Amino acid sequence: MAVRRPPEVDEDAGLRLVALGVVTVLLFVVLLGRLWQLQIIHGQEYLQQSEENRLRDLRIPAPRGVLYDRRGRALVSNRAAFTISVLSMELRDPDRVLPRLAQILGMSEAEIRERLRQGRSRPFEPVRLRRDAPPAVVAMVEENRLDLPGVIVEVEPVRHYLGGGLAAHAIGYLGEISQAELAQPAWRGYRMGDLIGKAGVERVYDRILRGRDGRLRVEVDSRGRALRVLRREPWIPGRSMVLTIDRDVQEAAEAGLAQEGKPGAVVALDVATGEVLALASFPAFDPNLFAAGISARDWQRISRDPAHPLLNRAVDTAYEPGSVFKVVTAAAALARGTATRATRIRCPGAFRLGGWVWRDLRAHGTVDFTTGVALSCNVFFYTLGHRTGGEAMSQMARALGLGERTEIDLPSETAGLIPDDAWKRRHVGEPWFPGDSVNMSIGQGWVNVTAVQVARMMAAIANGGTLVRPHLAREVLGSDGTAVQRFRPAPAGRVEMAPEALATLRDSLRAVVERGTGRRVRLPSVSAAGKTGSAENPRGKPHAWFAVYAPADRPTVAVAVVIEHGFRGGLAAAPIARRVLAAALRIPLPDEEAAPAPRLPAGARGGRP
Amino acid sequence: MTPGGPRAGAEGRGAPRAVSTLALAPPVRDGPRWRDLDLVLVATTAALIAFGFVVLASATAGAGDPRTYLRARALHLGLGVVALALTARVGYHRLCALWRWLYLLTLALLVAVMVVGDVRLGAQRWINLGPLGAFQPSELAKVTLILTLARHLDGRRPPETLWGVAPYLLHVGILVLLIVQQPDMGTGMVLVAIAAGMLFLAGVRLRVLAGLAGLGLMGFPFLWSFLHDYQRRRLLVFLNPDIDPLGAGYALNQAKIAVGSGQLWGKGLFAGTQNLLRFIPEQHTDFIFTVVGEELGFVGAAVLLALFLVWLWRALAIAAAAPDRLGRLVAGGVAVMVLFHVVVNVGMTVGLMPITGIPLPFLSYGGSALLSLCTATGLLLNIGMGRRRLLR
């Protein structure tokens, strides 16, 4: 065999073997270098990764604190619910699993993929796809367990709003923390997927209510099957809170608004402390829809509703006050001495200034101070406004807390507007004319106020001049149910009025209820003092206002009611104020028995102990 | 430091004619002499097999019944030792004389796989032999290629043109095509590497080899269109492991975590969490090196690589001192085969190479692979014994 070989063929064969040997050694050097890099240089990092591989830190969400009304009745608690989640690391075959899962959950595959993408920064945490899954869905996931590796079912506490939409705008609702919120310092320590308060008390007191999640450290195999629990750290439930809300008063307010059927708001305050007894905005929504993450369909329905149910009309919407502002005009005139109890003004049905004419509904003849207020005589107030001047009225309005935020403990609030000369020059480009004072005297022009401001103004008149700070939080409860923290915010200021002036104003407001435009608020056994308002607005019928406090001689509660396009405050708003006063003062209302059942959202009246 | 380097050099430059003269003498036909056995190679092979046995025990410790694997491994070893002894006794000359039959038998088996083969993990690579387990003809094809190509190249002038290489390309191409369609890209690549190495050692000019490589590169887009989706994904994942961290990139990432976490001394035998908790797919076969890296650390991995290096040094030394060109080509082919296996397998577990399913010699679980390796080692020993006798 060797004989057939031509001798010259293999001359460089040895050289080629040497080359092969050199290549071999070089390749081994490369392999060894790579091993050095992986094991010695980056070994610690890989060791940590291998630990993360086998350890699962599962979060056990802590239940949020319960919210009680001022009488200890639960308004919001928690219930157990099933959450369907995906553990990304165990999702080996997404193309097979995700379509199946999407079908079961009724979600689009793209939506699931997007959520998984968002959760990729924490590959060992479950990505929650469907909170509060109905039993049928949970059963389907369990039945298809073998086809759905990486999909898990967790039990989580879910917020339960016992009254349905009751006090929805005060209490708020939950939602998953957004990327933008995560970036804010206020939400430091929160994590992707956390449910946080998105509105109302739930948002403002989120840190008190949320508690601390528990942890379970489990060793798992590559398929995510738990082998043993290495550490267990129990959750600490969120602290419960007592709100200032009185559920009876709240229900009365909402029933009244629902019966009227037009968008509007009610605020009832304790005149001495500023505690909010009721804060209602109509239409409302059911926060339970948000408790476990709102469905796209529900969100569309709520966010696209032309009535804007999510809008808090009690604090986030400023309206022209109309005649309710006459309280300010009267107070300013009395304080400045441009009018006294003895002032008498003739009302021919119109007020003339230069070439301009301001009309009244009718000619009231000569009216004294109390009657002028009681009948809401426009000419009477045009005259007072003209005499007193815009600057004095603006000052009094601000002293009574109008046109500025009340600092109520809600996440957003609008300031409204009290115009003055400087404001007009800046925004309109003209100086303040006497005609502007005439307009302002009856709450027209640029004046804009919120219901909570009006309620506080009435509280200030009722309590002798203290500008209280409205608030919804009353106490934080410790684990044994006793108060560990009480909320008593300091007053925002004082209105200085001579006692005689204050008495005149109060008597006049009492006359409004006893013989004037506010008679519909009269209660069987308690006197009240208030002021109606119909605020002309260019967009439709006037907004109806009623602001009142009671009892007139020893006031405890102040109420403001506004009904959009309600036309006459005495007709649309006063009956609601009456119901609220009755509930707050515990006065039975016999004629209420005939009232039609209030149209509240489903379940709104449930949960009464 | 180059295995067999100085000796090969001496032969190549210093005394070529002397070797030729010796080789011209008629071969002695009294069979191999066992006292001339290359004991270093035998010892290294035994060490590698023992090393593999221990690592396999750890790799399968988490499985349902680990003893199943070890028992099967012992059976494979028994068969392997018989194959090794037989090959060493029969000798490469006689086996090469049967080259036509060997080639046809291999083709027949590869075709048979297409018809009656078991489908596992989406590939049709195995013929079920009942209680003996499954036989993988593509493993046999490696040894067949070494023997038949050596015979094909022997006694002929090395081709000087691309056209001249064509018959050898056809020789290897038929086998490669049959294997790649299974699909078994990894073994196909091993055959290509063996062929390239043997053509190089047979003296084919470098520019012809470079031309072949160029043709291969130009053919890549064509090849790409024939790849399965998973194969394309593996290649893309190799270029960027982050594109699919839960899919094709998973094995690669987990393998790197396992090896890296072993650090200097390893987590200890039977104490690798990546191994025991089964984070790496196929860890007792293609990914067995991750167990070495995790449990025995850099030190263990370096010892293993050193064993391979010694083995390859002996293989190349035997090639260098082979009594004839046929023996040199066979020994060189065996060396290239094992080198390619080690570099690609270890390279893939440490992220230097795309993931291709080729086993780590003597360590990966698999009977056919062990059998073909033992056969190849038998060939080496046989060539080595021939050398000693002639040099005496």
Side-chain angles (χ1 to χ4, degrees):
Chain A
M1 213 174 283
V3 181
R4 286 195 288 129
R5 186 186 56 182
E8 73 278 18
V9 165
D10 276 2
E11 271 184 5
D12 64 351
L15 205 60
R16 291 191 177 217
L17 275 169
V18 173
L20 190 58
V22 171
V23 168
T24 303
V25 171
L26 284 180
L27 287 172
F28 272 67
V29 167
V30 169
L31 288 182
L32 215 59
R34 173 65 169 178
L35 284 170
W36 181 269
Q37 186 193 20
L38 284 183
Q39 300 186 295
I40 308 299
I41 299 176
H42 297 294
Q44 193 57 41
E45 298 157 37
Y46 284 115
L47 182 65
Q48 196 181 333
Q49 285 188 42
S50 78
E51 289 294 286
E52 282 174 8
N53 255 354
R54 76 181 177 100
L55 301 178
R56 289 284 177 281
D57 279 330
L58 298 174
R59 263 207 293 172
I60 316 166
R64 281 172 84 86
V66 176
L67 291 175
Y68 297 99
D69 87 337
R70 63 191 294 121
R71 295 170 190 276
R73 293 170 290 194
L75 296 171
V76 185
S77 70
N78 304 287
R79 64 185 168 78
F82 294 107
T83 296
I84 315 271
S85 307
V86 167
L87 278 166
S88 305
M89 278 313 288
E90 269 120 54
L91 190 66
R92 291 294 148 65
D93 192 358
D95 294 337
R96 204 169 53 82
V97 172
L98 296 188
R100 183 97 192 83
L101 186 60
Q103 196 190 353
I104 292 175
L105 296 185
M107 295 169 79
S108 80
E109 205 185 317
E111 196 182 338
I112 294 179
R113 283 184 190 275
E114 173 58 22
R115 283 180 159 244
L116 290 178
R117 198 187 59 75
Q118 286 174 358
R120 200 146 64 175
S121 57
R122 304 194 69 82
F124 304 105
E125 293 235 327
V127 175
R128 300 187 165 86
L129 291 181
R130 177 88 185 262
R131 288 184 145 110
D132 197 15
V137 172
V138 175
M140 275 220 275
V141 170
E142 293 292 353
E143 277 167 23
N144 291 277
R145 178 134 295 286
L146 290 178
D147 296 331
L148 298 171
V151 178
I152 56 170
V153 178
E154 300 172 283
V155 179
E156 282 191 309
V158 159
R159 213 61 168 144
H160 185 31
Y161 299 88
L162 300 165
L166 187 76
H169 292 91
I171 291 169
Y173 58 90
L174 302 184
E176 262 182 38
I177 193 162
S178 68
Q179 294 282 7
E181 283 163 333
L182 275 173
Q184 292 165 9
W187 299 97
R188 191 167 291 141
Y190 287 69
R191 300 203 294 186
M192 196 72 208
D194 277 354
L195 280 179
I196 61 163
K198 288 286 182 180
V201 168
E202 291 273 33
R203 186 174 186 85
V204 175
Y205 298 107
D206 192 79
R207 283 198 190 267
I208 292 176
L209 292 170
R210 69 182 296 101
R212 207 180 72 202
D213 292 345
R215 295 201 156 275
L216 202 59
R217 172 164 281 194
V218 184
E219 185 181 63
V220 296
D221 67 6
S222 62
R223 292 188 189 172
R225 287 176 300 207
L227 302 178
R228 59 195 168 123
V229 174
L230 299 177
R231 202 173 71 205
R232 196 186 296 269
E233 203 177 289
W235 42 249
I236 299 169
R239 275 173 292 167
S240 295
M241 291 179 73
V242 176
L243 300 185
T244 59
I245 300 250
D246 182 321
R247 203 175 73 186
D248 298 333
V249 184
Q250 184 72 30
E251 281 178 354
E254 292 187 8
L257 283 170
Q259 195 170 0
E260 186 58 35
K262 289 178 179 158
V266 174
V267 176
L269 298 179
D270 180 315
V271 300
T273 60
E275 289 182 341
V276 178
L277 302 175
L279 188 146
S281 176
F282 183 87
F285 59 92
D286 185 351
N288 285 310
L289 293 176
F290 295 83
I294 189 164
S295 71
R297 206 178 40 153
D298 283 335
W299 175 250
Q300 296 266 327
R301 188 170 54 76
I302 290 179
S303 60
R304 290 193 182 165
D305 188 333
H308 303 298
L310 289 176
L311 179 64
N312 186 344
R313 289 174 161 85
V315 296
D316 280 346
T317 309
Y319 299 94
E320 293 103 335
S323 300
V324 163
F325 193 77
K326 289 172 181 171
V327 175
V328 175
T329 309
L334 290 168
R336 284 289 168 114
T338 52
T340 63
R341 190 186 287 270
T343 299
R344 293 171 70 84
I345 288 168
R346 196 179 74 81
C347 167
F351 176 82
R352 285 171 198 283
L353 184 66
W356 301 84
V357 178
W358 283 264
R359 303 206 170 276
D360 203 341
L361 291 170
R362 62 186 175 95
H364 292 92
T366 299
V367 292
D368 62 13
F369 193 97
T370 313
T371 310
V373 176
L375 301 180
S376 201
C377 169
N378 279 352
V379 172
F380 177 81
F381 281 95
Y382 293 144
T383 311
L384 288 192
H386 183 237
R387 280 185 200 167
T388 312
E391 204 56 41
M393 283 188 286
S394 297
Q395 278 176 16
M396 179 53 76
R398 291 201 190 97
L400 287 166
L402 301 182
E404 62 181 38
R405 294 191 180 88
T406 65
E407 311 279 323
I408 186 171
D409 44 359
L410 285 174
S412 68
E413 183 183 8
T414 191
L417 176 68
I418 298 298
D420 57 15
D421 181 54
W423 178 88
K424 194 183 169 197
R425 281 175 195 274
R426 203 163 50 244
H427 288 91
V428 188
E430 286 177 357
W432 189 267
F433 295 120
D436 293 326
S437 302
V438 174
N439 268 338
M440 192 185 194
S441 69
I442 61 161
Q444 304 284 356
W446 297 279
V447 182
N448 262 304
V449 298
T450 63
V452 70
Q453 287 169 1
V454 170
R456 175 163 77 160
M457 174 182 80
M458 295 307 282
I461 293 164
N463 67 24
T466 302
L467 205 58
V468 295
R469 228 186 266 276
H471 58 282
L472 287 154
R474 199 167 199 225
E475 291 167 352
V476 175
L477 300 181
S479 53
D480 57 353
T482 58
V484 293
Q485 186 186 349
R486 286 176 211 278
F487 293 87
R488 298 243 173 85
R494 260 198 79 75
V495 196
E496 296 304 335
M497 278 181 83
E500 171 52 25
L502 191 60
T504 306
L505 183 60
R506 284 183 173 175
D507 289 346
S508 308
L509 294 176
R510 190 168 178 164
V512 170
V513 175
E514 282 172 359
R515 59 189 170 91
T517 51
R519 282 182 298 249
R520 278 169 189 263
V521 88
R522 271 192 302 193
L523 291 156
S525 53
V526 176
S527 60
K531 184 69 196 81
T532 55
S534 296
E536 297 291 340
N537 75 80
R539 294 175 300 278
K541 282 190 185 173
H543 296 325
W545 277 97
F546 197 83
V548 63
Y549 63 83
D553 36 9
R554 287 184 65 184
T556 56
V557 55
V559 179
V561 179
V562 59
I563 304 294
E564 289 179 15
H565 311 299
F567 192 44
R568 288 262 168 267
L571 298 176
I576 300 172
R578 180 169 184 266
R579 278 175 102 147
V580 174
L581 281 181
L585 300 172
R586 318 250 145 221
I587 300 165
L589 287 180
D591 55 328
E592 286 274 309
E593 286 157 14
R599 284 174 293 159
L600 274 180
R605 302 194 70 102
R608 183 193 285 267
Chain B
M1 93 167 230
T2 306
R7 193 175 301 159
E11 185 193 18
R13 288 198 205 98
R17 295 198 197 289
V19 172
S20 295
T21 313
L22 273 174
L24 281 170
V28 183
R29 288 288 178 192
D30 60 348
R33 289 166 49 165
W34 295 103
R35 62 167 185 254
D36 295 334
L37 206 59
D38 188 327
L39 288 176
V40 177
L41 182 63
V42 173
T44 314
T45 306
L48 281 168
I49 287 174
F51 199 114
F53 205 84
V54 173
V55 175
L56 181 73
S58 180
T60 54
D65 182 8
R67 278 172 300 180
T68 321
Y69 286 97
L70 298 181
R71 246 185 255 125
R73 185 68 174 176
L75 175 70
H76 296 157
L77 262 180
L79 289 174
V81 170
V82 170
L84 187 147
L86 266 179
T87 325
R89 179 77 181 80
V90 171
Y92 63 103
H93 282 117
R94 275 187 233 166
L95 284 170
C96 282
L98 296 171
W99 72 286
R100 284 193 183 83
W101 295 109
L102 257 179
Y103 196 80
L104 284 175
L105 172 72
T106 306
L107 285 188
L109 283 171
L110 287 174
V111 172
V113 162
M114 290 170 68
V115 184
V116 299
D118 279 3
V119 178
R120 294 188 206 166
L121 307 170
Q124 198 168 15
R125 300 177 190 164
W126 293 269
I127 291 176
N128 195 350
L129 297 181
L132 283 176
F135 177 66
Q136 194 175 348
S138 58
E139 289 293 340
L140 172 69
K142 295 174 193 170
V143 180
T144 300
L145 179 70
I146 291 169
L147 290 169
T148 58
L149 191 64
R151 174 67 177 70
H152 195 167
L153 286 161
D154 186 40
R156 289 182 177 83
R157 282 181 173 281
E160 298 194 346
T161 60
L162 277 177
W163 184 243
V165 186
Y168 307 106
L169 290 188
L170 191 69
H171 185 141
V172 63
I174 293 171
L175 293 174
V176 170
L177 274 180
L178 282 172
I179 288 169
V180 166
Q181 63 76 37
Q182 290 181 348
D184 187 352
M185 206 61 194
T187 307
M189 280 164 48
V190 175
L191 292 197
V192 171
I194 292 171
M198 289 177 71
L199 285 174
F200 172 74
L201 290 178
V204 175
R205 300 207 168 179
L206 288 180
R207 60 183 164 81
V208 175
L209 288 174
L212 279 179
L215 281 179
L217 280 181
M218 273 159 52
F220 188 75
F222 178 73
L223 179 71
W224 182 259
S225 64
F226 278 92
L227 289 183
H228 288 253
D229 271 348
Y230 80 93
Q231 289 168 328
R232 289 182 200 168
R233 211 157 47 225
R234 281 174 171 183
L235 286 173
L236 293 174
V237 161
F238 169 66
L239 297 174
N240 179 10
D242 295 332
I243 53 173
D244 191 7
L246 304 178
Y250 174 80
L252 177 58
N253 279 332
Q254 295 299 331
K256 274 158 69 177
I257 291 172
V259 173
S261 65
Q263 298 185 288
L264 184 63
W265 293 104
K267 297 174 184 171
L269 266 179
F270 302 96
T273 54
Q274 290 281 106
N275 167 27
L276 294 178
L277 301 172
R278 321 208 76 72
F279 280 98
I280 301 146
E282 304 293 313
Q283 61 181 346
H284 62 294
T285 59
D286 294 347
F287 279 97
I288 196 149
F289 187 76
T290 62
V291 181
V292 177
E294 187 185 16
E295 302 196 342
L296 302 175
F298 180 78
V299 173
V303 166
L304 179 63
L305 288 183
L307 284 176
F308 277 121
L309 202 57
V310 170
W311 198 95
L312 286 167
W313 161 55
R314 289 319 304 155
L316 290 174
I318 286 170
D324 52 17
R325 191 169 181 244
L326 187 69
R328 177 183 307 140
L329 287 174
V330 171
V334 170
V336 169
M337 174 178 81
V338 171
L339 172 66
F340 189 81
H341 269 273
V342 173
V343 170
V344 172
N345 182 283
V346 176
M348 115 188 150
T349 53
V350 297
L352 285 178
M353 298 261 173
I355 293 179
T356 32
I358 73 172
L360 186 61
F362 302 113
L363 274 86
S364 291
Y365 179 79
S368 311
L370 188 63
L371 212 56
S372 77
L373 275 164
C374 287
T375 308
T377 312
L379 288 171
L380 281 182
L381 291 172
N382 178 263
I383 298 165
M385 287 185 281
R387 171 205 65 190
R388 302 228 168 169
R389 189 152 33 95
L390 287 165
L391 285 177
R392 186 173 295 124

